[in-house]
């Protein structure tokens, strides 16, 4: 099969990750062009992986007939417009999450995807993680019976700066959005209601900036299951990423990945490795696998594994969670969208 | 030291457990009398452990000058009155939980305890479990730093009959009461607000009987920590009892106890033991240890490790949870008591 | 069923353990008499568990018609003669290991058992351990297929005094004898050849006393399987007791027991409990269970689970191992016995 | 730093692995030429990774002035001569194991390395494995105190054909050679004596072909430690690769890697993943890391982490083990070499 020609908009950290994956691990595709508003970044990325073309203007990429599919890895506020432009230009699109912080804008992206018939995949990479995806598979294979309880723990190793927290849109949309998508993935069902608790225990300046750094959100799913997510911006022992699904036939739960399986027994106890600390190290393979799945969907005209519905609902739920926190009451998802 | 003379009111399952513990494992005390409204039960228990006296009337025990301390193991509605009578008669009292389903009645018990100055311990045995108590110790020793998140999973192996569910007062007071107490024990702080989710996924007849069998309750603690408890009336793999405390310096979590540490590796996977199935097997040692602690408190005039405050607040929280479920809103504990 | 009347010869540590087990956990039997060459020890033990009779002369016990079965818990050199006397007096016998350090003497015991038809069980308690017995069950149920490799790790928390080591008969008969029996139990087959390595790395005085404190012994079994045992007299992390059986269909392995299942995750790592430190704590339940099995065999006229063959072969193998070490060559078990 | 120009002799499986590692994961080097006696294989490999030159004659590569370092990935019998030719031509050499099955030939390679002063690294990749290397680091950092016992378990998922077994030189040199090197790596000491057990339990045709498929070998190290290796040609549950080091301060042990950390709890038990099945998947990263270390040694003129001594001694021990099996006695390594 002919290699798929890919263009990457945005040459920052995640753009680099995808360029590296495609170059080294996905022979079915190649990166033919990269862009970045800072041309130097695009040039460096192009050089690093022998990418033939680069530009500071993403429209150059979108108008390039050689580019068949576009990865939108630019800053969040630009995701939607670039995706729309790319689809209108006939390209298939992989868009990092969140698609946008405005529901209306996401709906506009959705509309264009429908009108143009282009593939549109959203970058919820954790669905492709070797641990979480296996739990998801067990659910879909029916090994756990009817899903009754979904639990997700997601804790960062270090808090962001208070400035970042203030400008991030808040923990629910900046951090927990991944978990909202994971919850729907694991439950196999949409969320219909949320109740959000949140507080600032890690860094008081985050609280002063109007955000929370420690949070628990409970979920009601359309299929009758219930769930809970807990987040912290700081775990002393590293990046804590665990999920658990409890069903009528049993439970599947995963543990964190460490650097080794070694356990050291001394007079002080039996000590094993901490969880991997850095999200790129922890989730590296999942970034490769989501892009591989996108390329396969394009090349075989198959369905993308994570569509715009996931992109939409994750933001809707995050907004419902924020409303729940603000008004201190359970909030129906339909209050935000679809009511 | 002279053996403490103990009388047991109620010769059912838990009365038998305590009699066995004292006879076989606690040389500091002995059981001198047992009672049961069904005299035959009292007679059998007395015979089984060579207990000198038995009666069908608990007042015989309370009026017996040989009896120094009373274990109240009778049906729940009688806990409070028997405890009050025993304390008024100058006996120290160990009372099974819940003390009563009426807050007023519990307050009356509390008042009598204060007036008489007798010891009064409530039977929250799980605090003495080898796993959970170790997590609690780590919290109190400061090894986890400030407590930020408390998580408790508690799932029974099999649901009760719908009839039982209907008459039990509901899952929150019948089952989750243990977890409310555990949450306060682990957080080292009282609960100030709850939000309860509950549904009937295990047995529709439980739902028809007005109760829930699957539940998630979130908690706010007075010290600023937040928490969550999930319960199910049926876990296909057995009795699931786990706690986790997350703090500023780290996390402590326990796993279920199995019958062995053996893992079998075959072409089908690597298989370990299921959790112990029966609560008496799982928690047997904790029943012994709570009684041992009670006896020590009596003999050394020390503080009982689980006082009436725990008995009161666990019921208060259960009622707040039920109100939260009924009114579909977060409920302050002070709405139920102390407001 | 009528309670079995048991007499215990030897009121030391293990005599106390058995007395406690029978009194508190085995209602099918009772201890009616205990003896010890130091009468005070016997008196104390009798008092502790309300045992009616005691003596400083074991023949008083053997001649007592009330005693139906005898537990021989006296020092090793006396095991054989007391067992013989008891069987000749018509008593069933449970004899601690090793039966004797002389093969001839063990054969004499065996002969008397055959002549008198009395039950004779040897005290290899580890076969009854919840972990190891489960591995043995998997072997016998065929879940692992044909046994191919047996591995046993057995390490004490602290070395004995050099004086003890010098007088103990050496590590192979004093410590590894348990593992020789365990190896045959797990393989379901006798050992036919051994090769012994041994050295003194823990305490040079043990080496100067002519003994080893660190040892590896390989085994060939009659059924074609092979095996290896490693021993150390000192493990910094506690009492290390693990077995592994590898067969054509898979492997079963156990892990050590700890005091709790708690794992603590901090910046220093993920720390779990050390193995239980003291053998009586680690193996307490197995002592109860071997006695329970003995009593059942007596009362139902069934076969004892650990017969004189195990008592004989474990000593034979220990002697073969010592010869192997001394002559630095593999030694056939038939060189010691049965050739 | 300038990229190191590498030539690869042998374009089979392992040649491909190294070419891929260098191309995708080691920017410090590039492959400039590959060879294979089957030219088609060399051509394909060159094409796959955009390697400029290929040949069917390894002397073309050795005589190519652009090639600075050579990876010898050809069949075992040719390792020594190609390594010698390359070193004589001034190239640094990475040579797959075993260097040769003849001690004399290995000594010749060693002599040429000394004479020419070229780097010569031997391909014992497992030293670079994330699990085993961590155990080795703990030993070298002194965290375990003095090494006393080393244990290695190494079991293949499936047996080779009897034909392969017959021509492989036998299990000790074909399979256990890795473990001999690992044992010395973990003990930090040479082996001075071995005793080998071996039998054919997996496939009788392997026994008929004069080889064993199930083996236990005990080891004495120069530093006084003792050790044991067990091998099987077939583990029903996959590729079993575990090491354990026991020292005066404690123990370090690793577990197998699985595909995920998920555990599934159902009525049938708690099931985790089997070990990874295929050695290339299990050890992939270690192949990359050994080449990275080689390149670093060349570029910094540092010491190679695995020198010819390891290549020599592993073969010497394998021969000693074979002699031990044949003559059924412990064999000093000095009987084979260095005596």
């Amino acid at each position: 099969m002919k290699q798929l020609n890919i263009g990457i908009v945005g040459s920052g950290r995640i753009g680099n990750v995808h360029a590296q994956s495609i170059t080294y691990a996905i022979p079915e595709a190649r990166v033919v062009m990269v862009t970045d508003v800072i041309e130097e970044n695009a040039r460096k990325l192009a050089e690093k992986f022998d990418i033939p073309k680069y530009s500071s203007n993403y429209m150059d990429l979108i108008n390039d007939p050689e580019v068949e599919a576009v990865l939108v890895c630019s800053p969040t506020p630009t995701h939607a417009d670039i995706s729309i432009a790319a689809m209108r230009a006939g390209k298939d699109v992989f868009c990092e999450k969140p698609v946008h912080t405005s529901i209306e804008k996401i709906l506009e992206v959705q509309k264009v995807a429908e009108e143009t018939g282009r593939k549109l995949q959203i970058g919820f990479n954790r669905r492709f993680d070797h641990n979480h995806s296996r739990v998801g598979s067990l659910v879909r294979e029916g090994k756990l019976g009817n899903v009754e309880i979904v639990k997700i723990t997601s804790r960062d190793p270090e808090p962001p700066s208070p400035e970042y927290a203030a400008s991030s849109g808040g923990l629910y949309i900046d951090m927990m959005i991944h978990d909202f998508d994971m919850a729907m993935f694991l439950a196999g069902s949409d969320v219909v209601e949320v109740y959000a608790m949140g507080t600032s225990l890690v860094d008081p300046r985050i609280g002063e900036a109007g955000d929370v750094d420690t949070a628990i959100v409970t979920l009601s799913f359309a299929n009758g299951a219930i769930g809970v997510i807990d987040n912290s911006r700081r775990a002393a022992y590293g990046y804590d990423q665990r999920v658990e699904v409890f069903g009528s036939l049993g439970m599947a739960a995963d543990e964190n990945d460490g650097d080794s399986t070694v356990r050291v027994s001394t007079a002080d106890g039996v000590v094993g490795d901490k969880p991997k600390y850095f999200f790129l190290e922890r989730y590296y393979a999942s970034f490769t696998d989501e892009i591989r799945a996108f390329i396969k969907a394009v090349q075989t005209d198959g369905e993308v594994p994570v569509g715009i519905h996931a992109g939409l609902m994750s933001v809707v739920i995050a907004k419902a969670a924020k409303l729940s926190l603000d008004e201190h009451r359970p909030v129906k998802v339909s209050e935000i969208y679809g009511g």
Side-chain angles (χ1 to χ4, degrees), chain A residues 89-331:
Chain A
K91 321 290 193 197
D92 294 307
V93 168
F94 175 97
C95 177
E96 283 300 330
K97 52 94 296 269
V99 177
H100 204 276
T101 55
S102 147
I103 305 290
E104 291 66 34
K105 202 77 191 179
I106 302 174
L107 291 171
E108 193 186 331
V109 174
Q110 183 175 31
K111 189 153 157 279
V112 174
E114 282 160 8
E115 285 170 10
T116 61
R118 304 322 306 171
K119 307 289 178 201
L120 174 61
Q121 181 171 330
I122 311 306
F124 284 115
N125 62 293
R126 294 187 192 173
R127 292 192 184 201
F128 296 85
D129 175 62
H130 64 132
N131 293 333
H132 310 326
S133 71
R134 172 122 176 75
V135 176
S137 296
L138 287 160
V139 170
R140 283 186 296 279
E141 292 160 8
K143 295 288 167 61
L144 307 178
N146 296 323
V147 174
E148 295 173 354
I149 299 175
V150 172
K151 294 173 70 178
I152 298 173
T153 292
S154 180
R155 300 169 187 157
D156 282 347
E158 288 174 23
S161 66
E163 296 70 38
Y164 176 87
S167 71
S168 70
L171 177 144
Y172 301 113
I173 200 157
D174 181 60
M175 178 176 177
M176 204 181 275
I177 192 168
H178 270 295
D179 306 304
F180 293 135
D181 182 65
M182 181 58 63
M184 291 185 286
F185 170 67
L186 293 175
S189 176
D190 275 0
V191 168
V192 294
E193 187 176 294
V194 301
Y195 175 72
M197 302 173 74
T199 177
S200 175
L201 302 174
V202 172
D203 185 340
R205 295 170 302 170
I206 290 177
E208 287 155 19
D211 197 7
V212 299
D213 52 39
T214 306
I216 294 178
V217 172
T218 59
L219 309 165
S220 302
F221 297 94
N223 65 0
I226 56 181
V228 63
I229 298 165
D230 72 271
N231 273 191
S232 171
R233 287 287 197 180
R234 177 266 301 113
Y237 49 91
Y239 190 41
D240 191 353
Q241 297 285 303
R242 290 171 288 150
V243 309
E244 174 180 322
V245 175
F246 173 79
S248 53
L249 298 180
M251 169 177 72
D254 57 24
E255 286 291 325
N256 287 302
D257 284 349
D259 286 335
S260 82
T261 63
V262 176
R263 290 195 305 166
V264 186
S265 301
T266 69
D268 296 330
V270 178
V271 187
D273 280 13
K274 287 185 290 184
K276 284 177 186 293
Y277 196 87
F278 185 44
F279 87 94
L280 271 185
E281 190 193 14
R282 170 64 185 81
Y283 280 123
Y284 191 87
S286 73
F287 288 111
T288 303
D289 288 342
E290 67 173 353
I291 296 298
R292 188 178 282 123
F294 169 67
I295 288 164
K296 189 180 169 197
V298 170
Q299 290 185 324
T300 64
D301 195 18
E303 205 170 340
V304 293
V306 191
I308 185 66
H309 182 73
L312 173 64
M313 292 314 296
S314 53
V315 172
V316 168
I317 299 167
K319 286 178 180 285
K322 184 63 168 57
L323 183 61
S324 172
L325 183 75
D326 290 346
E327 303 196 346
H328 196 50
R329 64 174 178 90
V331 169

